[in-house]
Amino acid sequence: EFFRELLENAERSLNDMFVRTYGMLYMQNSEVFQDLFTELKRYYTGGNVNLEEMLNDFWARLLERMFQLINPQYHFSEDYLECVSKYTDQLKPFGDVPRKLKVQVTRAFIAARTFVQGLTVGREVANRVSKVSPTPGCIRALMKMLYCPYCRGLPTVKPCNNYCLNVMKGCLANQADLDTEWNLFIDAMLLVAERLEGPFNIESVMDPIDVKISEAIMNMQENSMQVSAKVFQGCGQPKPAPALRSSRSAPESFNTRFRPYNPEERPTTAAGTSLDRLVTDIKEKLKLSKKFWSTLPYTICKDERVTAGPSVEEDCWNGHTKARYLPEIMNDGLTNQINNPEVDVDITRPDTFIRQQIMALRVMTNKLKNAYNGNDVNFQDTSDETSGSGSGSGCTDDICPTEFDFVTTEAPPVDPDRREVEASATQPGWSLQTLLVIFLTLVLQRQWR
């Protein structure tokens, strides 16, 4: 919602300014500017748009239209106008505005789109992992931990905290293997968020875009004679226009100057919400989700509704009776559950579905790396782990930031015969409620659509 309003307000501001300044001249050529915003919206929503080529095409089209307006005494064929557009880079009729705006727009849109994509991927990974069914060994261990005290005549005795930890570490062994890649993903998200707050701030780029384009047009007006002379030299002398059209001189048809646009006239975006406030809020939520998967057993077992708590070591259910739990606590991850005393875990058979989520996080982290460095990525090809080259870098030597190097991990070998499990039928309700924390962490991504 925020981004949609941001683009709509920027387009509305430009349209209002140009209508009041040029009136009918602008309205007759408004599709050039409307197409610009249409393509920007399409890019943001995942369209296959090459930002650099799209912006180059915008300036080339604008040059063609303006060249006709400042030379009404001539008739220009389509081939001649195509020749004119080829001089855009050589003559720089709009000054340095196109180059600067290209850098600002590409890196800001790349960062914004990738950041929102990252929020979506994080939410989907957590949602998918929460639906993985527990193994039979996990179900047996949970039943023993939660219900066997009743069979032994100890209905008020809760499981020992360390006993619970071993059960949950066995049940969530595959989920814990998400943690390394998840943490790298969160770190990458936070770094891109810093870009959005700083040099890649899309709000600061779009808010004055009307003024920047007007500056470019004024530069074209001031240099119209020199531009026309060089074009005539390179493309040839055009044919005179019919008498009715040639009777209008350039000053009569195109001599208006833009006036400064009063900031008070600009509409607010997203009910007054600024990008900085939105990103700051999301960053705090992301920080809370760091190390989520490795701490999940501790989060569950510290709940007083589940265990007796860490402070109660003697008067708790240890799986056999009311006494201290003696076995050591297992480390995190699948390979560390080989000697888990509470849950039978086959460490040779990693969960295929969870390994796929690890890969999804790794691919997204690589895309965030590219966005952090101002490089575009192709969201359609999610199977490609290598950096994309979608719309170019959006950087120049004097502006592009220093590259940030990420280190990703390799997924453990996967048994090809391992069946993917997508149902969640028998998973305990309270563990699913805990997993919902991550959904709340990333719920703000909906505001960016």
Side-chain angles (χ1 to χ4, degrees):
E1 285 298 319
F2 170 83
F3 183 80
R4 180 183 60 80
E5 291 188 30
L6 181 67
L7 271 181
E8 288 178 355
N9 287 339
E11 184 175 13
R12 192 181 306 119
S13 295
L14 184 144
N15 185 70
D16 291 346
M17 173 195 279
F18 281 41
V19 166
R20 287 186 295 177
T21 303
Y22 284 126
M24 188 57 65
L25 276 177
Y26 165 70
M27 296 174 68
Q28 292 172 346
N29 298 277
S30 61
E31 77 276 5
V32 175
F33 303 93
Q34 292 170 357
D35 290 347
L36 170 65
F37 284 95
T38 297
E39 289 299 286
L40 289 175
K41 293 173 186 176
R42 193 163 73 88
Y43 172 84
Y44 180 80
T45 55
N48 187 20
V49 177
N50 186 305
L51 282 177
E52 288 192 4
E53 290 183 2
M54 183 269 293
L55 290 170
N56 290 338
D57 183 62
F58 165 74
W59 292 111
R61 291 178 65 193
L62 185 58
L63 174 60
E64 291 178 11
R65 299 298 178 92
M66 287 194 62
F67 193 77
Q68 295 177 82
L69 291 172
I70 62 177
N71 294 285
Q73 67 273 31
Y74 296 107
H75 169 72
F76 300 101
S77 65
E78 290 298 323
D79 290 340
Y80 196 97
L81 291 176
E82 185 177 348
C83 179
V84 172
S85 65
K86 294 178 181 179
Y87 279 82
T88 306
D89 292 334
Q90 179 181 339
L91 298 177
K92 299 189 183 304
F94 301 110
D96 204 33
V97 174
R99 184 190 70 84
K100 290 181 178 179
L101 197 60
K102 182 194 297 185
V103 172
Q104 294 167 348
V105 168
T106 52
R107 67 186 188 180
F109 272 74
I110 289 166
R113 185 173 82 160
T114 310
F115 188 73
V116 174
Q117 181 76 4
L119 290 172
T120 302
V121 168
R123 184 189 63 176
E124 290 177 350
V125 166
N127 185 44
R128 290 166 182 163
V129 172
S130 72
K131 295 177 181 178
V132 174
S133 296
T135 64
C138 171
I139 295 174
R140 287 192 297 270
L142 287 172
M143 292 291 292
K144 178 181 177 182
M145 181 179 78
L146 296 175
Y147 297 106
C148 281
Y150 292 88
C151 303
R152 296 296 178 89
L154 303 171
T156 61
V157 179
K158 294 181 179 179
C160 299
N161 183 74
N162 290 351
Y163 173 36
C164 173
L165 286 175
N166 273 344
V167 171
M168 297 315 302
K169 287 196 175 194
C171 286
L172 299 174
N174 281 283
Q175 286 86 339
D177 283 343
L178 278 164
D179 209 55
T180 299
E181 208 65 51
W182 178 267
N183 293 338
L184 290 171
F185 162 73
I186 295 298
D187 286 338
M189 287 288 293
L190 291 171
L191 285 168
V192 174
E194 291 179 5
R195 285 284 195 246
L196 289 174
E197 291 176 315
F200 294 7
N201 188 311
I202 195 170
E203 190 172 29
S204 66
V205 171
M206 293 307 299
D207 190 48
I209 195 170
D210 50 0
V211 176
K212 293 177 181 178
I213 293 176
S214 74
E215 177 188 337
I217 293 177
M218 284 190 287
N219 191 82
M220 172 73 176
Q221 287 179 266
E222 292 171 356
N223 298 285
S224 59
M225 294 183 65
Q226 297 94 312
V227 171
S228 297
K230 290 182 179 179
V231 170
F232 294 160
Q233 183 180 0
C235 297
Q237 190 70 21
K239 297 178 180 180
L244 180 61
R245 181 178 177 186
S246 61
S247 64
R248 295 179 296 158
S249 64
E252 292 173 333
S253 61
F254 196 73
N255 63 354
T256 316
R257 297 282 179 172
F258 284 94
R259 67 176 180 82
Y261 202 45
N262 188 347
E264 295 180 359
E265 299 175 25
R266 293 186 181 278
T268 57
T269 59
T273 300
S274 71
L275 178 68
D276 288 340
R277 287 197 297 270
L278 194 59
V279 172
T280 298
D281 187 37
I282 294 175
K283 280 173 61 179
E284 293 305 312
K285 301 296 191 303
L286 289 171
K287 290 176 183 177
L288 292 175
S289 70
K290 193 84 178 290
K291 297 183 179 180
F292 174 80
W293 303 103
S294 61
T295 59
L296 189 54
Y298 298 89
T299 302
I300 295 171
C301 293
K302 74 178 181 182
D303 191 327
E304 61 182 10
R305 295 171 296 178
V306 179
T307 69
S311 60
V312 181
E313 297 184 356
E314 302 294 340
D315 298 329
C316 57
W317 171 250
N318 66 5
H320 302 282
T321 186
K322 180 182 177 181
R324 177 188 290 270
Y325 182 75
L326 298 178
E328 64 175 337
I329 301 174
M330 298 292 100
N331 291 324
D332 301 321
L334 182 64
T335 58
N336 290 315
Q337 306 310 310
I338 187 171
N339 294 317
N340 191 309
E342 310 304 335
V343 185
D344 293 329
V345 181
D346 186 352
I347 66 169
T348 66
R349 296 173 65 86
D351 189 282
T352 305
F353 190 70
I354 290 181
R355 301 297 141 171
Q356 290 175 351
Q357 306 316 305
I358 293 174
M359 185 61 68
L361 289 172
R362 183 175 305 152
V363 170
M364 192 65 239
T365 299
N366 193 54
K367 293 178 179 180
L368 289 163
K369 169 188 174 181
N370 279 279
Y372 178 87
N373 294 323
N375 301 320
D376 206 356
V377 288
N378 182 6
F379 285 108
Q380 274 69 42
D381 187 8
T382 55
S383 64
D384 185 6
E385 285 189 69
T386 60
S387 59
S389 57
S391 298
S393 67
C395 294
T396 56
D397 293 339
D398 57 334
I399 299 178
C400 197
T402 303
E403 290 195 1
F404 181 85
D405 292 327
F406 287 78
V407 178
T408 56
T409 60
E410 292 298 325
V414 178
D415 186 340
D417 297 327
R418 174 66 168 164
R419 182 175 59 88
E420 295 182 14
V421 184
E422 299 183 359
S424 58
T426 57
Q427 191 167 358
W430 45 265
S431 64
L432 285 178
Q433 291 174 5
T434 307
L435 283 167
L436 286 174
V437 172
I438 199 61
F439 308 156
L440 298 177
T441 300
L442 301 175
V443 73
L444 281 176
Q445 71 90 24
R446 294 178 180 174
Q447 301 180 33
W448 291 70
R449 289 180 178 176

